[in-house]
Amino acid sequence: MNEIQLLTWVRGDGLDYAVGIFLLGVIWRLFEIYSLGRKKDLSASRSVAGASGWHTIFRRSLPPAGMVKKSPVSYIGGYTFHIGLAIVVFLFAPHILLIQSLTGLSWPGLPSQFIDLAAVVTMAAMVVVLADRINKPVKRYLSTFGDWFTWTVTFLPVLTGWMAVQHLLLPYTTMLALHILSVEVLLVVLPFTKLFHAFTLFGSRWYNGTVNGHKGVAV
Amino acid sequence: MQGPLIETLARQGVTRRTFMKFCATLASAMALPPSAGRAMAEAMAAAPAASKRPSVIWLPFQECTGCTESITRSHSPTLEGLIFDVISLDYQETLMAAAGHQAEEALHAAMAANDGKYLLIVDGSIPLGLDGAYSCIAGKSNLETLKEVAKGAAAIVAMGSCAAYGGLPHANPNPTGAVSVSDIIKDKPIINIPGCPPIPTVITGVLAHFLTFGSLPELDKHGRPKAFYGETIHDRCYRRPFYDQGKFAKTFDDQGARNGWCLFELGCKGPVTYNACATVKWNGGTSWPVESGHGCLGCSEPDFWDAGGFYKALSMPADPLKLAAKAAVVGAAAGVAVSFVNRGKKSAAKSAHETTTLADLEK
């Protein structure tokens, strides 16, 4: 298989399968999670200002008082790489073209040089967050294979995409193919790993907020 | 500088100065040191009398003669064509006066007289289907001819994408079982000059290098001379700044196209195509596909015919939602099935639950 054949496969059949498995997994997991249901809470609801599912969804996007100082790497690093990922994924012109070809929706992109900077900052933040996870005994103790694995499959698309644009290590064609392949790996594993938080994040926040709101606790 | 070639060129109205400039350009195009231009000029100018010029045999297989057209009609005066004055082109069906048995005799005479020394140029792919019956010359299949002529060759030049990779005949579903020269010949140095057709300067450059230094230039992993195929079209494209700014022509006649913006969205394969079009250009430096407003097809890359459509942007997948509906249905079914299993577990746990009473606790 030469690099054009590899690129053709990852753009063709490979992507078909990856998108298929992704959709299958997402729908399966959402059905599974939301059909579990919860026991009805028979206690009387206590009403406290700021205690509700919607409040929690918003509040948990902000660091609790004092936490940024206490755990700067988790918060600043976490914000940086999440925002960086969003910029790189959604504002790079070729990515917008892809989304447009799939959905018909399009929006203006950012200059490649800015995307390049965002990619480097994102990768730096991810590396710092990983180093922190390795260095802090508690974090390391709490980490499982799933954490290391999801970090890797998230990091690789950014790295290969950046290397393809920068023409590092391998010819552009091969790197572009590897970039698309790494995105396909990400798509395939996303529904079945911790990365599914991209879909469950707000639902679980709402649930926690509602349960605690019923008890009169603003979390 | 004197020699038969200089005199021939003078008769054609090409001055010695123009010839020197051409050789210098050729050398610089191949990233050779400036002295190489002079060495090339001297080697070619000093080409000995007709009988001793290096013998070249050009075999046409499953081809369209576009590669021959490319070099012979390069531009006028045909400086690229001067290479024919330096070599002894002993067999070239399109250009030779002889036909039939005479042509075959010329081929065999050249092979016998220059055994182990002649340069073999091949254009066109070799069909293996039906024992090679899809393309025969003088009652022999192309496969037989190639094996026979390659045996005594010093080196082989696979001219054009068909000879280099199989090209159009090799495209899916490849009805003739077409393959490239390197798929068959394994024991000779082979240089691939892909392109559909290849750039005349590239053809001449490689031949001049072989004639001057007696060796093949440095090759990449596809057997292409790195001097010409070392960088992508995209990296050398004068429209590249528009790509970086995100300015794309959306159709072939919109304002973006008129402004000369990047053709990436219209399917340009420049980013994955290694060739010299953007720097060397075509027709004596007049223009090249992207300059004339059409995206690169990627013709110097293997299997470019089957690379997902000429007018689809590289970032655009072929048909990613093909399996989407089925996947959604299977996913929903799996989700519902798992839900029922989970509900079953819950109700089993509920029915297995033993109620603890106050009396139990006081026991």
Side-chain angles (χ1 to χ4, degrees):
Chain A
M1 185 181 261
N2 61 47
E3 67 271 14
I4 287 280
Q5 283 169 325
L6 177 65
L7 181 63
T8 308
W9 187 84
V10 295
R11 286 173 64 208
D13 289 350
L15 198 64
D16 292 351
Y17 296 132
V19 170
I21 295 170
F22 173 77
L23 285 174
L24 185 154
V26 168
I27 293 171
W28 164 356
R29 292 292 308 267
L30 287 177
F31 258 104
E32 182 179 351
I33 292 165
Y34 289 108
S35 69
L36 279 175
R38 297 288 156 181
K39 257 188 186 167
K40 200 170 162 63
D41 193 336
L42 300 172
S43 65
S45 176
R46 297 181 188 190
S47 174
V48 168
S52 78
W54 295 106
H55 277 101
T56 303
I57 288 178
F58 175 74
R59 200 180 295 123
R60 292 225 173 148
S61 292
L62 305 171
M67 284 307 284
V68 176
K69 244 184 198 165
K70 221 172 182 181
S71 189
V73 173
S74 301
Y75 282 97
I76 298 170
Y79 276 118
T80 308
F81 95 73
H82 275 95
I83 293 168
L85 276 178
I87 291 174
V88 172
V89 172
F90 294 113
L91 296 175
F92 185 41
H95 295 168
I96 299 173
L97 279 183
L98 168 67
I99 295 166
Q100 190 186 6
S101 78
L102 293 179
T103 63
L105 300 173
S106 84
W107 50 87
L110 287 173
S112 346
Q113 287 83 353
F114 185 84
I115 299 292
D116 200 56
L117 177 72
V120 171
V121 170
T122 303
M123 287 189 290
M126 286 189 77
V127 168
V128 169
V129 167
L130 180 73
D132 192 56
R133 187 182 277 276
I134 294 169
N135 282 334
K136 295 259 169 65
V138 176
K139 277 190 178 177
R140 192 169 61 225
Y141 176 73
L142 290 173
S143 299
T144 60
F145 171 77
D147 294 288
W148 311 117
F149 179 68
T150 49
W151 184 92
T152 310
V153 294
T154 310
F155 188 74
L156 283 180
V158 190
L159 179 70
T160 51
W162 178 73
M163 285 173 84
V165 172
Q166 291 294 323
H167 296 238
L168 298 174
L169 200 65
L170 294 172
Y172 177 78
T173 314
T174 316
M175 219 19 132
L176 178 65
L178 290 179
H179 172 61
I180 300 176
L181 191 64
S182 68
V183 174
E184 286 165 10
V185 171
L186 179 67
L187 282 176
V188 168
V189 303
L190 192 143
F192 307 103
T193 58
K194 295 187 176 194
L195 294 173
F196 201 59
H197 75 267
F199 285 88
T200 52
L201 162 82
F202 294 113
S204 57
R205 276 185 192 174
W206 181 87
Y207 173 75
N208 283 332
T210 305
V211 168
N212 285 297
H214 190 83
K215 295 173 183 169
V217 186
V219 288
Chain B
M1 193 182 297
Q2 291 297 318
L5 178 68
I6 300 292
E7 285 156 27
T8 315
L9 288 174
R11 276 202 298 279
Q12 291 170 2
V14 179
T15 63
R16 186 186 146 281
R17 172 173 289 273
T18 311
F19 173 63
M20 290 297 289
K21 259 171 79 178
F22 171 71
C23 290
T25 311
L26 210 54
S28 71
M30 298 185 75
L32 295 168
S35 58
R38 189 162 181 87
M40 275 184 183
E42 280 170 359
M44 289 201 272
S51 60
K52 288 186 185 164
R53 285 178 299 175
S55 172
V56 174
I57 294 171
W58 185 314
L59 292 177
F61 294 143
Q62 286 195 130
E63 46 90 35
C64 67
T65 317
C67 299
T68 308
E69 293 276 350
S70 172
I71 184 164
T72 54
R73 295 193 178 181
S74 45
H75 58 106
S76 185
T78 62
L79 270 175
E80 266 79 19
L82 75 83
I83 206 78
F84 293 121
D85 296 324
V86 182
I87 59 174
S88 170
L89 192 58
D90 292 325
Y91 183 85
Q92 216 290 6
E93 288 177 7
T94 310
L95 302 177
M96 70 198 305
H101 292 294
Q102 289 174 323
E104 289 304 301
E105 272 167 33
L107 172 65
H108 289 106
M111 282 168 61
N114 304 289
D115 190 38
K117 286 182 287 189
Y118 58 84
L119 185 67
L120 171 60
I121 298 179
V122 176
D123 67 342
S125 62
I126 301 99
L128 300 182
L130 293 183
D131 291 327
Y134 285 106
S135 178
C136 294
I137 298 165
K140 279 185 195 163
S141 73
N142 291 166
L143 180 66
E144 280 176 82
T145 309
L146 176 63
K147 281 183 175 168
E148 185 190 338
V149 183
K151 208 174 274 175
I156 303 174
V157 176
M159 184 75 72
S161 293
C162 294
Y165 312 125
L168 177 59
H170 181 75
N172 190 33
N174 189 2
T176 64
V179 296
S180 68
V181 173
S182 55
D183 284 332
I184 294 167
I185 306 298
K186 303 286 181 194
D187 57 348
K188 294 281 175 188
I190 298 175
I191 181 164
N192 285 333
I193 308 185
C196 194
I199 304 172
T201 314
V202 177
I203 305 173
T204 322
V206 171
L207 294 181
H209 190 284
F210 183 76
L211 295 171
T212 310
F213 303 109
S215 63
L216 298 180
E218 197 189 347
L219 306 178
D220 71 3
K221 72 177 173 114
H222 288 305
R224 305 177 289 198
K226 276 187 180 170
F228 295 108
Y229 298 91
E231 280 175 294
T232 63
I233 298 288
H234 188 56
D235 286 345
R236 286 291 175 185
C237 184
Y238 74 103
R239 297 195 190 209
R240 177 62 186 266
F242 296 117
Y243 172 87
D244 288 329
Q245 292 164 23
K247 290 179 176 167
F248 300 101
K250 309 279 180 188
T251 65
F252 284 108
D253 60 354
D254 68 357
Q255 194 55 44
R258 286 187 200 110
N259 292 342
W261 288 355
C262 179
L263 301 168
F264 181 87
E265 287 194 23
L266 293 169
C268 182
K269 300 295 177 290
V272 297
T273 305
Y274 290 78
N275 206 341
C277 302
T279 43
V280 175
K281 299 193 184 182
W282 286 79
N283 299 321
T286 307
S287 184
W288 60 293
V290 170
E291 191 171 340
S292 67
H294 193 284
C296 168
L297 300 181
C299 77
S300 58
E301 295 300 317
D303 300 317
F304 76 98
W305 297 99
D306 295 325
F310 290 158
Y311 299 100
K312 266 199 164 160
L314 262 179
S315 62
M316 272 191 219
D319 184 17
L321 300 180
K322 200 166 76 181
L323 303 173
K326 278 182 204 158
V329 171
V330 175
V336 170
V338 173
S339 305
F340 275 108
V341 172
N342 287 340
R343 271 169 192 268
K345 273 188 198 162
K346 267 166 82 175
S347 59
K350 207 174 180 181
S351 58
H353 181 74
E354 289 175 20
T355 316
T356 307
T357 61
L358 205 56
D360 292 331
L361 294 173
E362 284 175 347
K363 266 182 200 166

